[in-house]
Amino acid sequence: MSTITLISSDKKLFKVEEAVATEMTFVKNFVYDLTADSPVPLRNVSSQELSKIIAYLKKFLEIKGKQDSDDDIKAYSEEFVKEQSSQELMQLMKAVACLENINFL
């Protein structure tokens, strides 16, 4: 499976499976516009936020692949939210808006 390299605003590199990375519309559009395997710069998303978003999306796709997954996705999303502070959630929502990810929470 191919991977896409993402670069956070604090210059940390993340090699992410293409299926996970392309859940983020910004990344998907950026990758399809590239002619080479260039890293995707995410200037408004820190490594802390990006690592949480990637972890969430991996689990989301894992659950989505199962039959009757809607209730499981809802339960996972609720659990994920409970684990974050209000400030963390606000930062994550800003990052998600930059990435144009409609499947996050």
Side-chain angles (χ1 to χ4, degrees), residues 58-80:
K58 283 181 180 179
K59 185 68 171 179
F60 171 84
L61 290 173
E62 177 185 318
I63 295 169
K64 185 179 169 185
K66 297 178 182 176
Q67 210 170 27
D68 300 324
S69 62
D70 290 343
D71 289 339
D72 292 338
I73 289 171
K74 183 178 178 184
Y76 175 66
S77 294
E78 288 172 359
E79 178 185 324
F80 182 86

Side-chain angles (χ1 to χ4, degrees), residues 10-46:
D10 48 344
K11 307 293 184 221
K12 301 235 166 113
L13 297 176
F14 292 81
K15 287 206 178 279
V16 183
E17 293 176 6
E18 184 175 1
V20 173
T22 56
E23 284 291 310
M24 302 173 236
T25 304
F26 175 83
V27 173
K28 183 178 183 177
N29 292 338
F30 194 97
V31 168
Y32 292 140
D33 289 342
L34 292 177
T35 56
D37 289 332
S38 301
V40 179
L42 303 174
R43 293 182 181 94
N44 296 320
V45 182
S46 74

